[in-house]
Amino acid sequence: MSDNKNLSPVEKIKQKSDGLRGTLEEGLKNEVTGAIAEDDTTLVKFHGMYMQDDRDRREERAEKKLERLYSFMMRLRIPGGFLTPGQWVALHHVAGENSTGTIKITTRQTVQLHGILRSRIKPTLKSFSQVHLDSIAACGDVNRNVTASAHPMESELHEKVHAYAARISELLLPKTRAFFEIWLDEEQLTDKKDEEDPLYQDRYLPRKFKIGIVIPPNNDIDALTNDLALIAIIEKGKLKGFNLAIGGGLGATHGNADTYPRLASVLGFVPADDEKIFKAIYEIVTIQRDYGNRSDRKLSRLKYTVDKYGLDWYRAELNKRTGFELEDARPFVFTDRTDHYGWKQNHKNLWYYTPFIESGRILDDEKAALKTAFLEVAQTGLANFRFTGNQNLILADITTKDKPAIQKILEKYGIIGHTDSASAIRKNAIACVALPTCGLALAEAQRYLPTLLGKIDGLLAKYELSQEQIIIRMTGCPNGCGRPYAAEIGFVGTALGHYNMHLGGDHEGMRLNRIYKENLDETAILKELDVLFWLYKKERANGEKFGDFALRQKWYKP
Ligand code: SRM
Ligand code: SF4
């Protein structure tokens, strides 16, 4: 069991929080500040929000002796990343009225809004509630937004497998009514027994917990980077069950060798029997609740529990708790991780359009009026909205009859041209949020990667490699939100304008990359890539991917 003697401060905040209420209710009435109390900043995460400030404006505010410009980032809980057109219209307007207006699609198939002032949190959540959306457990030491393969053209069983995302999210929701009382002004419970929580109790999990469901062969959600991955095994058109893989996670800390990114290890197979599937998931979580490290938050993710106790121990403990044995894992193959841009049709003859959205940021700019176009599409009521794990969106489930109307809107706002003209590396790239909102950022990511990609595109053109779909990802710090360690080329921020360069990840998400060079600025990055691309062009085997070539060349620090 976990060491309860040296509990971290966050553990104490959770335990005395009265079901995640803390002093949030009183704090909202404090007119002197736009912030909330320090302990409450931990609790508000469980309600799907982070208190932040605009880091670009810190100096100017300090000079004027003003408090930092506090606001909140809100992340919605959208299991499997599916919105109806009505929900999109609501999201568009809520974003415009209460936040910066930009809708940011995340790497976990949901959206974030930034810059929400404290006084606008309630109106925002009330508006979302009217269209059956919430932000419960989108952050915090609980199960987060469950991801699921986004593309309905992947398999005839897509809907069936995808539906598990909402069911797992529901199964693992905290029982506390705090969210409804504080933000939606619902009546307070008279009997606290109604919110007793056998799963989370009063201590919740030692750390965040992430679950992803993937339908091979496309690994669009990067399944093995999750604490728990469910890998659908489909044979002869039937869902046979899921391989369960545990212990994925990417966060690391510069200079702390005890922390590391890790891909999930396959634990075994559970047949397509819902009772067994949900029991296994639930008990995997309870084992982490009971054995995860609660004293050092840097070492508290499931990956460290798995490495501490071993996979065989975890399987035996799980079998004991579920009362049945996991079967041997079934074979599976990933061939791809990319989104299918442009128009695609599925087995039911429905159409899907995937536009290019750089770093998942939906706004109108000189390149394309994405935000206006998607609103107009939503207003027709003819397309659903499906987020992908690559910070993208699929305009989905469109009939052949309705396709011309959607095409017309996309053309009108420049979306088709914008998508068709984006280069191969741009379409495969991911950048995390980083500056100016992320309090942990050491360097830029989504504001800088587009510029760097333009320069890398120039180098690729020089060696006639422009069509290569090299997966490039950048984050502003080593926490790994843009999954840079699972990229063929990963850039991990070390300081403003400086990045560690990682090489050698694969195309399918089955292998992590390794550090090649540290602390490079732009000039050094481009100089390195110039030589590496030259060698790649000259010496690659037929069809060899850049990441595979980099590994074969041993382009990593010993
Ligand atoms: Fe993340 C913390 C943004 C996906 C690993 N992440 C943060 C915070 C909340 C910063 C903070 O704690 O103050 C960032 C908010 C920035 C902002 O201003 O909006 C943040 N993470 C994001 C998003 C929005 C990146 C994006 O551009 O898409 C992604 C939101 C996902 C979602 O909808 O839930 C996001 N974060 C990830 C992923 C990728 C994934 O899950 O597929 C990872 C790596 C996988 C993993 O969990 O290991 C990830 N985020 C982290 C970590 C490191 C955790 C660890 O185990 O060490 C932190 C820091 C922490 O938790 O202490 C973090
Ligand atoms: Fe912030 Fe670091 Fe995550 Fe980027 S990787 S969003 S900089 S915590």
Side-chain angles (χ1 to χ4, degrees), residues 45 50 52 73 75-76 104-112 114 138 144-145 207-208 210 221 225-227 248-252 297-298 301 303 359 391 431-434 437-440 446 479-483:
K45 294 179 189 175
Y50 278 74
Q52 302 183 319
M73 173 272 273
R75 187 182 288 166
L76 292 181
K104 159 81 184 181
I105 309 172
T106 75
T107 47
R108 293 193 68 76
Q109 284 185 309
T110 182
V111 290
Q112 287 187 176
H114 290 91
R144 302 280 187 95
N145 200 45
R207 204 65 159 86
K208 59 177 76 167
K210 297 181 175 179
I221 58 153
T225 62
N226 284 271
D227 294 271
L250 298 182
R297 288 181 65 78
K298 295 240 175 272
R301 291 291 291 274
K303 60 183 172 182
S359 311
Q391 300 175 320
C432 74
V433 179
T437 51
C438 179
L440 307 179
Q446 72 179 17
N479 281 316
C481 301
R483 300 190 291 266

Side-chain angles (χ1 to χ4, degrees), residues 148 157-165 213-215 232 234 239 242:
L157 291 174
H158 177 273
E159 289 308 331
K160 185 176 174 157
V161 175
H162 190 268
Y164 279 97
I213 309 166
V214 68
I215 306 175
I234 295 174
L239 177 67
F242 295 97

